[in-house]
Amino acid sequence: MINHIKEVLLHYLLYDPATPLLFTQLFFWIFFMVVMLGYAIVYKWMPVRNAYLFLISLYFYYKCGGAFIWLLLFSIVSTYFIGIGIYK
């Protein structure tokens, strides 16, 4: 029983190139509803809201594209530091 639960969790948490997250899947719509419910709970606290949306966005991007998450993270970090440099 525990192994089955572990397999199901890993299926939903890890990227599988054979089954990327698509908008036509039921899992996407359930995920979307859970994200919107979470957003409705945290929307008044800006730091929590920003962190929540950032983490959810990273998870969504990871489930859709897998290894490209590193490209996104590199782009975020480099853009942040370039913006600081431009400001100075």
Side-chain angles (χ1 to χ4, degrees), residues 62-79:
Y62 171 71
K63 284 296 282 183
C64 290
F68 294 112
I69 190 77
W70 300 111
L71 180 62
L72 178 64
L73 290 172
F74 173 75
S75 175
I76 291 168
V77 171
S78 62
T79 303

Side-chain angles (χ1 to χ4, degrees), residues 1 5 20 34 36 52 69 78 83-84:
M1 177 71 174
I5 294 171
V34 169
M36 293 305 291
Y52 174 75
I69 190 77
S78 62
I84 288 175

